Amino acid sequence: MKNSGRSEIFAHDLPATRLDPALQAKRDQKIKVAMIGLCGCWGCTLSFLDMDEALLGLLDKVTILRSSITDIKRISERCRIGFIEGGVANEENIETLQHFRENCDILISVGACAIWGGVPAMRNDVELSECLDEAYVHSPTRVENAIPVVPWSEDLPKITTKVYPCHEVVKMDYFIPGCPPDGAAILKVLDDLVNGREVDLPSSINRYD
Ligand code: SF4
């Protein structure tokens, strides 16, 4: 194969991928959904997977544009619904949450971390420097005889002094409590919104732990 220069292998040299017009039209009619995890443990994301085959019934009406499965960093098209897991603990979380607010009509806090900070907010009772020292300098699991150091790089997102619930950073429209919420609760909210009903989350599938 003739090597005529590196620029030939760059993506912008490739022909644009186009969907079949009929498929594109069908896709355009669907309600677009996006999901993201901020400062959490991804347990709430696993609750989405707990919907199992129940989610299949909605896939005729819904298309998921961004999720932890696709790992696309930005929302490529305006979405009707955005689900947020986790609280806000660094400047990247703030920027991501604002990006979701700007690109989603309806934004939903999913789980305790998104609603009030959850487990990561335990650090709110101590100074950030004290918290980092405890984690990296005094930690019993640090490498023995190594010089203790708090990691720093200008490439790392700056940590906020406190962990914030999402609604203290942007307006949130709905809240699904639990640590994690029941998959049935997430499905109920999604089903109500997709079918144009008032969101009504019965206490029988609400979790407050
Ligand atoms: S609410 Fe619970 S399950 Fe969800 S991200 Fe926070 S700690 Fe994990």
Side-chain angles (χ1 to χ4, degrees), residues 40-44 85-86 111-113 119 178-181:
C41 75
W42 301 96
C44 293
E85 172 196 304
C113 295
V119 174
C179 180

Side-chain angles (χ1 to χ4, degrees), residues 146-183:
I147 298 171
V149 61
V150 175
W152 183 89
S153 161
E154 60 186 22
D155 294 332
L156 290 174
K158 285 195 184 62
I159 300 174
T160 49
T161 49
K162 303 233 180 263
V163 177
Y164 295 93
C166 294
H167 66 270
E168 288 191 10
V169 178
V170 300
K171 176 182 179 291
M172 303 299 291
D173 301 292
Y174 295 100
F175 302 85
I176 307 177
C179 180
D182 199 308

Side-chain angles (χ1 to χ4, degrees), residues 19-36:
L19 274 181
D20 173 88
L23 278 177
Q24 181 70 51
K26 196 171 175 195
R27 181 181 175 281
D28 288 344
Q29 286 168 3
K30 291 187 177 182
I31 291 173
K32 298 181 179 77
V33 174
M35 307 168 191
I36 190 80

